[in-house]
Amino acid sequence: MEYVRNVCSDIQVLRTMWFSKIAGDTHKERLECFYGPQAHAYDHFRARFLHGREGMLKACAQEMKRLQNQDGLVWVDLGGGTGQNVETMARFFDISQFEKIYVVDICGPLCEVARKNVKQRGWTNVEVFEADVCEFKPETAPATLITFSYSLSMIPPFLDAVDKAASYLDPAVGIIGVADFFTSSKYDSPARQHSYLTRWFWRCIFDLDNVDLGPERRQYLDRLFKKVYEENRTGYIPYVPLLKVPYYIWLGRLN
């Protein structure tokens, strides 16, 4: 029965992704239209879809272990959705070492799920904020760790989002971690380079859900931060055989 329930939940997510019309006049309204019907099933489906999330958080955990004896560790998870990133991070790092963890998302239905998860798991140092990441600033700045897990590609004013994050990242020890889908530029580094067909196909497919896979976000990260770690891979989409979507893991520090 559990298997059947999971499949039914996955079908609802796929139906929303592929066939539902995204409506709304603002970015927040469009996100809530898209994620509202699938918020309850969000984590199960995306655990097999967001391939780089675990690797990015594991890499961030390694960086945090070097600082675990330091007081006042602060993690800001931007576009943190349901708070699943906190649970995943807990597998690699003792999250009680963080003085504060902020899960920030503009989407109300996802924040509701996140608050339930925080309460159920008894995370006393985790707080959920329904807010625009382009405007949010943590009360306990600076941040030791800032993450964008499959969220940066969904933020239209990404320059503002990255600039705001950089403004409160600890200049001495702070790490920014990003995992997301992507396509390369026409002329890119060999590790990132995609063919014309790959670039065209995946940008068109994800654009249907208001997700921008263009290279501009990575280019801006490379300009603003000093790269610490990078992976470029591909991963399968659940129930879609043969096709593998490109994704990346990237960690950096302030220049």
Side-chain angles (χ1 to χ4, degrees), residues 8-251:
C8 290
S9 295
D10 287 348
I11 290 173
Q12 182 174 349
V13 172
L14 288 169
R15 184 170 63 244
T16 302
M17 291 174 62
W18 292 346
F19 303 114
S20 296
K21 182 180 179 181
I22 302 175
D25 295 327
T26 67
H27 178 53
K28 177 179 175 63
E29 290 173 352
R30 289 188 290 270
L31 282 177
E32 292 183 344
C33 176
F34 181 69
Y35 283 118
Q38 53 173 307
H40 69 286
Y42 182 92
D43 290 329
H44 179 265
F45 181 83
R46 281 165 175 76
R48 293 164 296 136
F49 185 31
L50 308 184
H51 303 283
R53 175 171 61 183
E54 182 173 313
M56 183 269 287
L57 293 171
K58 186 175 183 180
C60 289
Q62 290 300 115
E63 295 294 329
M64 292 299 101
K65 286 176 182 178
R66 299 190 178 101
L67 306 171
Q68 61 184 349
N69 294 323
Q70 178 176 313
D71 293 332
L73 298 183
V74 175
W75 174 20
V76 183
D77 189 24
L78 297 173
T82 63
Q84 179 62 40
N85 292 336
V86 181
E87 184 170 344
T88 302
M89 174 66 90
R91 293 163 44 197
F92 308 119
F93 184 75
D94 179 5
I95 62 171
S96 69
Q97 296 290 316
F98 288 107
E99 176 184 331
K100 194 74 173 181
I101 300 174
Y102 297 89
V103 177
V104 186
D105 206 290
I106 200 172
C107 181
L110 295 182
C111 288
E112 289 179 15
V113 176
R115 291 188 183 97
K116 291 178 182 177
N117 288 336
V118 169
K119 184 176 181 180
Q120 289 174 357
R121 288 160 178 76
W123 293 330
T124 57
N125 60 337
V126 181
E127 190 168 359
V128 179
F129 282 83
E130 184 177 332
D132 186 340
V133 302
C134 299
E135 301 173 358
F136 177 81
K137 184 175 182 178
E139 297 173 358
T140 50
T144 321
L145 175 64
I146 298 174
T147 51
F148 288 93
S149 178
Y150 289 87
S151 57
L152 194 55
S153 60
M154 300 193 72
I155 301 172
F158 70 91
L159 296 173
D160 294 338
V162 175
D163 284 345
K164 189 65 175 181
S167 74
Y168 56 79
L169 181 65
D170 190 318
V173 297
I175 287 288
I176 182 167
V178 184
D180 218 326
F181 302 115
F182 83 105
T183 58
S184 72
S185 59
K186 184 174 183 179
Y187 302 106
D188 215 320
S189 66
R192 299 180 183 181
Q193 190 66 60
H194 294 142
S195 67
Y196 169 79
L197 182 59
T198 297
R199 299 195 309 270
W200 172 82
F201 178 77
W202 288 116
R203 290 197 73 170
C204 290
I205 291 296
F206 277 81
D207 184 68
L208 296 173
D209 291 332
N210 294 331
V211 182
D212 188 348
L213 266 56
E216 297 80 13
R217 286 161 173 77
R218 298 193 71 178
Q219 291 169 346
Y220 193 59
L221 291 171
D222 287 334
R223 178 179 179 179
L224 204 60
F225 302 95
K226 179 181 178 181
K227 182 176 68 177
V228 173
Y229 180 79
E230 177 179 348
E231 286 185 30
N232 301 281
R233 297 178 178 273
T234 59
Y236 286 107
I237 302 173
Y239 306 104
V240 183
L242 304 179
L243 291 179
K244 298 176 75 174
V245 59
Y247 70 90
Y248 70 96
I249 297 170
W250 188 96
L251 271 66

